[in-house]
Amino acid sequence: ALPISSTAFSVFHSIHPSSFKKQKKIPSALMEAAASGEGSAIRGYLHRCKRGKRHWKKLWFVIKGKVLYTYSASEDKVALESLPLLGFIVLSEKGEIGR
């Protein structure tokens, strides 16, 4: 067996296994619209309670091009999720149709 120098040992010893994890790939659909909502029909904060959960969570929503995007905050660049709104008619508070 080859001897390992103390310098090499300290370098390898300090590397944590979590640093080898692959970065999570973000689906391109979640990057199509920024939370700023440029070119969006409707955008704003809503409180949502998912099925099976007890608490409401404040989230930022953007409707752009017949897709509802969900963000943690209005400054986010990548959506948490997207939901196609095909077959739905989206109306603003004033009754205007969103395109």
Side-chain angles (χ1 to χ4, degrees):
L2 295 172
I4 297 176
S5 71
S6 61
T7 306
F9 178 76
S10 64
V11 168
F12 288 116
H13 187 68
S14 65
I15 297 174
H16 195 270
S18 64
S19 63
F20 292 115
K21 289 182 182 176
K22 290 183 180 179
Q23 287 225 336
K24 186 177 180 182
K25 185 172 179 168
I26 299 168
S28 61
L30 298 181
M31 297 179 68
E32 288 181 12
S36 62
E38 290 179 30
S40 65
I42 301 172
R43 63 184 176 270
Y45 280 103
L46 294 172
H47 286 84
R48 177 177 76 179
C49 183
K50 283 195 166 185
R51 191 177 299 161
K53 302 285 183 179
R54 293 179 185 237
H55 66 282
W56 290 82
K57 192 170 185 180
K58 183 179 177 182
L59 297 167
W60 180 258
F61 291 87
V62 173
I63 296 177
K64 182 176 181 180
K66 296 281 190 177
V67 178
L68 173 68
Y69 295 94
T70 307
Y71 301 86
S72 293
S74 62
E75 302 82 27
D76 290 354
K77 301 291 183 209
V78 178
L80 299 171
E81 60 190 26
S82 63
L83 177 67
L85 298 177
L86 300 174
F88 290 89
I89 296 174
V90 178
L91 298 174
S92 71
E93 214 174 24
K94 299 170 188 159
E96 299 166 349
I97 295 177
R99 306 260 179 233

